[in-house]
Amino acid sequence: MPLYEFEGKAPRIDPSAWVAPSAELIGDVRIGANCYVGWGAILRGDNGSIIIGEGSAVEEGVIMHTSVGLVNQVGRQVTIGHGAMLHGAIIEDFAVVGMRATIGHYGQVGEWSIIGEMGLVANQQSVPAGMIAVGQPVKVIGPVQERHKKRWIESKKRYQGFCERNRKGLRLLPDK
């Protein structure tokens, strides 16, 4: 995986995390324990910091960046879906950001909230804890139920399991 130091700041990855070889981490990027960072993800901590909390999954094709001095803060046990984009956002513990969703400057997603696929959390918009929000921009459509939490806990465990499975079972095949 390409890791780049930028102006004296280099990515820090917990040894229990797994980062795909095609992911790119630039500057002040901190990856917590048991995190999964998928193929083609780009985490660019050149203007500010990107912090990924323990047990979180940053799936394939995710892009994270921030404006000068801001932080992209992803809490513990968060799922950031395939192709999502975060720019100076705060994502609290156990939240789910759906595939291709966008979280703008100062956007906040509360603990246990779910942002639907293609959702847009606009600049300075906040989704309260425990809510499901969809649309562009997102609107709350109801509370997260226990069945949602159960489903997402199982999904988070699968991605955490990929860390060890990839270390043990992934191998690059020779060109033919």
Side-chain angles (χ1 to χ4, degrees), residues 91-159:
I91 313 298
E92 294 181 9
D93 297 346
F94 300 101
V96 174
V97 175
M99 295 180 289
R100 305 296 267 170
T102 299
I103 317 296
H105 279 83
Y106 305 103
Q108 288 195 285
V109 177
E111 184 175 45
W112 277 114
S113 288
I114 298 171
I115 305 302
E117 291 89 345
M118 304 283 293
L120 169 63
V121 177
N123 290 351
Q124 300 184 28
Q125 186 177 9
S126 181
V127 175
M131 293 293 151
I132 300 170
V134 299
Q136 297 176 345
V138 295
K139 291 184 176 58
V140 171
I141 61 168
V144 170
Q145 306 290 321
E146 284 305 312
R147 65 185 169 89
H148 299 120
K149 290 180 179 182
K150 183 178 177 184
R151 176 179 174 220
W152 284 110
I153 286 292
E154 291 304 313
S155 177
K156 292 168 195 310
K157 286 179 185 176
R158 275 192 303 277
Y159 271 98

Side-chain angles (χ1 to χ4, degrees), residues 1-3 7 14 16 24 39 50 52 62 74 83 110 114 116 140 154 165:
M1 90 207 70
L3 300 175
E7 296 179 344
D14 186 277
S16 65
E24 296 182 48
W39 303 90
I50 297 172
I52 311 297
V62 168
V74 174
I114 298 171
V140 171
E154 291 304 313
R165 287 178 65 199

Side-chain angles (χ1 to χ4, degrees), residues 59-63 80-85 98-101:
E59 295 179 355
E60 287 67 31
V62 168
I63 296 173
I80 307 295
H82 307 289
M85 184 181 301
M99 295 180 289
R100 305 296 267 170

Side-chain angles (χ1 to χ4, degrees), residues 1-6 8-14 19 24-31 43-45 50:
M1 90 207 70
L3 300 175
Y4 299 94
E5 181 178 305
F6 183 78
K9 294 183 181 174
R12 290 179 273 167
I13 304 166
D14 186 277
V19 178
E24 296 182 48
L25 281 56
I26 302 136
D28 189 7
V29 176
R30 298 172 233 163
I31 308 294
L43 283 63
R44 201 174 120 211
I50 297 172

